[in-house]
Amino acid sequence: METTSATAATKNTRSTAAATASRTTRSRRSTEKTTAKTTDKSAAATTAANATTTAAKATSRRTAAKSARSTTRSAAKSTARTATKAAAKTALSPIPGLVGEAPAPTIPVTEPGQFGRVNILDITPNEERGIYPARVELGETFEVTAQVFIEGRTKVGATAVVRTPRGKETARRAMTCVNPGLDRWTVELACGERSDAKPWDADFAAVKRQLGLWTVTVEGWEDTYRSWLHDAEIKVKTGDDVENALDSGAELLARWAVTKDARLNAAERNLLKEAAAKVADRALSPTDRLAAATTDEIRALHETNPLRDGLSESAPQRFKVERPKSSFAAWYQFFPRSEGAYVDPATHKIVQGTLKTAVSGLERAKAEGFDIVYLPPIFPIGTTNRKGKDNALVAGPDDPGSPFGIGSALGGHDTVDPLLGTMDDFKAFTARAHELGLEIALDFALQCSPDHPWVKEHPNWFRTKPDGTIAFAENPPKKYQDIYPIDFNADMPGIEKEVERIMNLWIEAGVTIFRVDNPHTKPVRFWQDVIAAVTRRHPEVLFLAEAFTRPGMMRALSYVGFTQSHCYFPWRNTKEELSEYLLETNGEDGYYQHNTFWPTTPDILTAYIRDNGIAGHAVRAVLAAMGSPSWGIYNGYELIENQQRPGFEEQRDNEKYEVKVRDWRRADKYGIAELLTSLNRIRREHADLFSYHNLTLLPTHDENIIAFARHTPAELTANGKADTLIVVVNLDGHNAHQDEVHLELTDFGIDPDKGAHLRDELTGREFDWHWDNFVSLAPWADVAHVLTVVR
């Protein structure tokens, strides 16, 4: 697989380089059509004749390939000579009586590694080995940086160009030099526009056509206008060689007006021509002549439609653009068997819920604003070594067992547990979810109970101990006596084929996402093969990795197709830990590993959640919803279920081993459900802000106050207005804290003379902020501010 991918990448690189040279040649020929027409025809005829002769004499593919490369080099040399002659001719100024200077030419790049007239290096993000492109969601904002420079003290500019998988240009944005000493330029971009279309919607077909490998090309160019202006202002002020300086400016403006690359309209061309005439008019004073070239209109034109000499392109950088919900998602988890469960008054035993009663969970998720419902395994549960309450080794007669002990005589991974219903019931469940606008994510735990059909049908899929027994799962000192792990060494292709069959079956039943249990304990190549096969047939399907492991493994899983992953957010609780983790999640790693922030799961209940009560639940919800584009809630959070099992960081009376009967009427008493609903509303209303690449920490002093901001410029929002979100959180669930938050106004496009008028999206209160701003947060009132800039 890797060899094939590398070969394809090499071919794409060569193809792209040729396309780049072709576009450059076409652009120059268009600009110089009158001067170079005869020469171009001659060169083209000569090249065609040479190519025909070579092809006729070719005796093998190798000879033909060598000839083609030779022809390309000859054509490139011919083109370069033509460009040089054309540049010399266009050096003649459009203004009578003036002789213009030869502008920097565009030097053709005919093979990888060659530099153009302007140098471009170290573009980020970059593909590892040219194989694994950065991943972004359709419409998600992201940052591209590069080193762009030229020799001497000549000024340069840089532009980033975004193109679809079909090569259509969709955006062209000026880059900003943020570190002149290091020649570092940066720009914020987006591939396409955000969409909330679901895979079953009619308009998803239009979204689907936009997915795939987009490219970003960095263009470097000599900034002739800025270089001239720098020197001309000094010369006019000191009276040094003034006429030559102003004549050069007049010629430059006149040439700018007729340059097609500048993409000027008639009014803009006339503006430049008129300015050129004034600058060349020796009847005016030098100061007035210079002023004609430096009006606000011309400076603005320089920002939007500059004269770009010596235009040089980088190799296109690829970005894998994925569908909506690949990055920006809100998950809600519940166990169907607990939804609608009740205690039978006659027997005093719990009657579990079904897929039909579980519709109540869908409706609750919808009401709270979530868009993905995640279900634990819904397959038959084994009886051998079935676990009892709180992971007890011996199950009682009424214990339902863990849904992760998959498989019984009733079926395996391709069967609905009869206690939950039938496959038709599941299809009706997913259909109702789709009516509510909810996607269904199904847990896929690749493990078996001793009763799973695979144990008899494929005994070689399991590891056998020397005594002939199958080894159950363990992670010493932990043991999972009700689970047999899969052994991939004997028949990985056979296991792959079966997993692909099963996943396709659930996809046909309405599943659009798989949450994969412990993928890091299986071969990475296994997932690479399976995900490639499944998404080739169903490109809309997403994968969430429930993996807590080393960075290298996490990166590899993201490379092979896991669009999101669980992470260490639950254990990052201090200001220092959170500051580091927010930047890690929303930084360079965010181009590959999309961390989904879950405050709790059936397996995780931290001491912070245990010890900080309602305020602690509110704090962690705000941090999760605002700190990552993707977040999730395990149901029961609304009811403050925070009792730990003694000696473990997980819930007591764990739902993994029993059916929960909940009184959802109590949720109003705590206010957490209302908070979750508000957080999801804020996220929807400011969707353009939720990227893995636009979070900034804001300085504070108190160790219990953390503040951060998200910002998206006007050019990248749906309504054309800049959007800024400021989050301030008191991490102490018991005490009030006051602090000062510093906001670097200009970094967020805020006029320092006016300051920022903010609205707290949680309370509706409004504030006026400037550089340094007092905040006071108390756990019995407001644990956090979620502020948007109103004006």
Side-chain angles (χ1 to χ4, degrees):
M1 291 289 290
E2 291 185 358
T3 303
T4 303
S5 298
T7 303
T10 303
K11 290 181 178 178
N12 286 340
T13 301
R14 291 174 179 167
S15 175
T16 305
T20 301
S22 176
R23 285 196 302 273
T24 305
T25 303
R26 287 199 302 270
S27 176
R28 185 181 60 257
R29 286 176 178 171
S30 176
T31 304
E32 302 161 359
K33 182 167 60 176
T34 303
T35 307
K37 191 172 183 181
T38 303
T39 305
D40 283 349
K41 287 183 178 180
S42 176
T46 302
T47 302
N50 290 340
T52 302
T53 302
T54 303
K57 295 180 179 180
T59 59
S60 67
R61 290 184 179 180
R62 180 178 299 177
T63 305
K66 288 181 179 179
S67 177
R69 288 195 295 270
S70 176
T71 301
T72 300
R73 286 194 294 268
S74 298
K77 290 178 181 178
S78 175
T79 301
R81 288 193 296 268
T82 301
T84 302
K85 293 177 181 178
K89 291 185 177 181
T90 51
L92 298 176
S93 174
I95 300 179
L98 294 182
V99 177
E101 300 175 2
T106 293
I107 301 177
V109 173
T110 58
E111 59 186 60
Q114 281 188 327
F115 284 96
R117 184 63 185 86
V118 177
N119 311 297
I120 304 169
L121 295 174
D122 191 25
I123 299 174
T124 67
N126 202 354
E127 303 177 44
E128 182 166 322
R129 294 186 291 155
I131 298 173
Y132 305 113
R135 301 188 299 118
V136 293
E137 183 176 310
L138 183 68
E140 178 183 3
T141 60
F142 59 92
E143 182 184 39
V144 169
T145 76
Q147 284 182 299
V148 182
F149 58 96
I150 198 170
E151 74 280 357
R153 62 184 187 85
T154 303
K155 310 294 184 184
V156 296
T159 308
V161 182
V162 181
R163 294 184 176 91
T164 69
R166 295 169 180 79
K168 179 183 178 182
E169 180 181 317
T170 63
R172 177 178 293 269
R173 296 204 64 207
M175 301 181 74
T176 302
C177 186
V178 292
N179 191 327
L182 297 178
D183 302 306
R184 178 61 62 182
W185 294 71
T186 183
V187 66
E188 286 188 73
L189 302 170
C191 294
E193 297 181 358
R194 279 197 186 271
S195 170
D196 196 37
K198 309 297 191 299
W200 56 88
D201 291 340
D203 56 353
F204 188 78
V207 170
K208 200 172 180 179
R209 287 194 293 270
Q210 298 180 67
L211 309 182
L213 292 175
W214 291 52
T215 62
V216 173
T217 303
V218 175
E219 298 177 336
W221 38 276
E222 182 178 328
D223 193 340
T224 313
Y225 174 78
R226 195 156 60 95
S227 295
W228 166 79
L229 184 58
H230 175 270
D231 291 351
E233 287 178 333
I234 295 173
K235 290 184 176 182
V236 168
K237 183 176 180 180
T238 60
D240 176 28
D241 197 22
V242 172
E243 292 303 330
N244 278 325
L246 293 174
D247 285 349
S248 293
E251 184 279 328
L252 181 155
L253 292 169
R255 183 165 56 84
W256 184 1
V258 297
T259 300
K260 288 187 177 181
D261 175 74
R263 302 184 179 186
L264 302 168
N265 59 36
E268 292 165 340
R269 290 195 295 271
N270 288 334
L271 172 70
L272 290 171
K273 290 176 181 178
E274 291 170 2
K278 289 182 180 179
V279 176
D281 187 354
R282 301 195 178 192
L284 300 175
S285 69
T287 302
D288 289 341
R289 292 165 67 187
L290 179 63
T294 59
T295 63
D296 290 342
E297 293 82 1
I298 290 179
R299 289 181 184 271
L301 208 57
H302 172 257
E303 296 297 322
T304 59
N305 302 76
L307 174 65
R308 306 191 305 167
D309 289 332
L311 186 64
S312 305
E313 291 186 341
S314 72
Q317 304 297 301
R318 300 186 305 164
F319 286 80
K320 185 181 180 184
V321 177
E322 298 174 327
R323 78 156 171 95
K325 301 297 176 285
S326 63
S327 295
F328 181 55
W331 296 66
Y332 189 81
Q333 177 184 6
F334 65 79
F335 285 69
R337 70 187 186 184
S338 293
E339 289 294 327
Y342 64 94
V343 177
D344 187 322
T347 63
H348 304 291
K349 292 184 177 181
I350 294 175
V351 178
Q352 78 162 61
T354 66
L355 288 168
K356 291 180 179 179
T357 64
V359 169
S360 62
L362 296 178
E363 292 169 345
R364 185 171 61 255
K366 177 65 176 180
E368 293 180 7
F370 292 93
D371 41 48
I372 298 173
V373 164
Y374 155 47
L375 306 179
I378 59 171
F379 320 123
I381 299 171
T383 56
T384 302
N385 297 333
R386 175 178 284 191
K387 293 296 185 71
K389 181 180 175 64
D390 280 340
N391 204 26
L393 292 179
V394 179
D398 298 319
D399 287 333
S402 168
F404 291 90
I406 299 169
S408 74
L410 298 172
H413 288 75
D414 56 0
T415 308
V416 174
D417 184 349
L419 293 175
L420 290 174
T422 65
M423 182 62 80
D424 285 341
D425 290 334
F426 181 75
K427 291 178 179 178
F429 178 85
T430 60
R432 176 57 181 154
H434 295 172
E435 288 175 3
L436 293 170
L438 299 169
E439 295 197 47
I440 295 298
L442 182 62
D443 195 296
F444 195 86
L446 193 48
Q447 58 202 32
C448 302
S449 87
D451 307 314
H452 196 291
W454 288 351
V455 176
K456 291 182 179 179
E457 296 170 2
H458 303 282
N460 61 327
W461 289 2
F462 303 91
R463 185 164 298 166
T464 304
K465 295 189 290 187
D467 64 4
T469 61
I470 294 177
F472 56 72
E474 59 180 324
N475 181 18
K478 291 184 178 182
K479 295 184 177 182
Y480 306 91
Q481 294 87 345
D482 60 336
I483 293 174
Y484 284 166
I486 304 293
D487 180 8
F488 294 85
N489 292 330
D491 182 21
M492 194 162 83
I495 301 170
E496 288 179 357
K497 185 176 181 180
E498 175 67 354
V499 169
E500 292 162 17
R501 180 190 72 82
I502 291 169
M503 285 188 167
N504 284 324
L505 180 149
W506 291 108
I507 293 168
E508 295 297 330
V511 171
T512 54
I513 304 172
F514 290 99
R515 180 269 197 189
V516 178
D517 190 77
N518 288 324
H520 59 290
T521 62
K522 287 80 177 172
V524 173
R525 176 56 183 271
F526 170 82
W527 294 119
Q528 187 171 31
D529 293 347
V530 167
I531 293 175
V534 171
T535 55
R536 189 178 301 117
R537 184 173 175 181
H538 298 285
E540 74 281 3
V541 173
L542 304 179
F543 292 83
L544 169 72
E546 189 254 356
F548 299 91
T549 186
R550 303 177 303 280
M553 175 60 80
M554 297 301 296
R555 177 62 66 92
L557 290 172
S558 70
Y559 283 164
V560 302
F562 281 95
T563 43
Q564 298 178 30
S565 63
H566 281 263
C567 65
Y568 291 103
F569 167 73
W571 297 281
R572 303 297 185 260
N573 293 292
T574 68
K575 179 180 179 178
E576 181 180 5
E577 291 169 343
L578 283 165
S579 297
E580 180 181 359
Y581 207 65
L582 285 170
L583 293 180
E584 181 180 325
T585 292
N586 297 276
E588 289 296 314
D589 283 353
Y591 285 107
Y592 303 98
Q593 181 179 334
H594 291 168
N595 285 339
T596 302
F597 283 4
W598 295 76
T600 64
T601 74
D603 299 302
I604 302 169
L605 196 152
T606 62
Y608 182 92
I609 290 290
R610 178 196 66 199
D611 297 337
N612 284 277
I614 298 173
H617 282 66
V619 166
R620 298 302 292 181
V622 171
L623 290 171
M626 300 293 113
S628 173
S630 180
W631 79 304
I633 289 292
Y634 164 46
N635 82 150
Y637 197 85
E638 305 97 318
L639 300 174
I640 316 300
E641 293 179 352
N642 65 338
Q643 301 300 308
Q644 279 185 341
R645 175 185 166 202
F648 295 88
E649 276 195 325
E650 64 180 42
Q651 286 194 14
R652 189 179 68 193
D653 303 327
N654 196 308
E655 195 170 5
K656 284 174 62 176
Y657 308 103
E658 62 183 79
V659 176
K660 286 270 193 180
V661 177
R662 294 183 172 95
D663 182 1
W664 284 103
R665 294 171 298 181
R666 295 189 300 116
D668 292 343
K669 155 183 177 181
Y670 303 111
I672 294 299
E674 181 182 356
L675 174 63
L676 302 181
T677 305
S678 295
L679 292 172
N680 281 325
R681 172 187 56 79
I682 295 166
R683 286 165 53 90
R684 285 194 307 274
E685 292 175 353
H686 299 273
D688 290 324
L689 284 171
F690 286 88
S691 163
Y692 278 100
H693 317 290
N694 66 350
L695 184 144
T696 303
L697 287 175
L698 302 179
T700 58
H701 307 286
D702 191 301
E703 285 306 304
N704 288 284
I705 298 291
I706 188 170
F708 56 90
R710 292 185 177 278
H711 175 75
T712 299
E715 296 87 346
L716 298 178
T717 64
N719 61 9
K721 297 179 180 179
D723 202 359
T724 303
L725 190 74
I726 300 167
V727 181
V728 187
V729 184
N730 175 12
L731 303 176
D732 187 342
H734 301 280
N735 302 290
H737 289 267
Q738 295 78 39
D739 203 353
E740 194 172 64
V741 179
H742 179 74
L743 183 66
E744 196 68 19
L745 298 173
T746 53
D747 287 354
F748 301 96
I750 299 170
D751 185 346
D753 294 332
K754 297 179 180 178
H757 188 70
L758 309 178
R759 179 176 59 244
D760 190 331
E761 297 291 340
L762 294 176
T763 65
R765 295 199 301 270
E766 298 191 357
F767 306 90
D768 288 312
W769 274 32
H770 290 85
W771 298 98
D772 297 290
N773 310 279
F774 175 79
V775 295
S776 180
L777 295 169
W780 52 84
D782 303 321
V783 300
H785 290 311
V786 178
L787 307 162
T788 54
V789 177
V790 180
R791 62 179 185 276

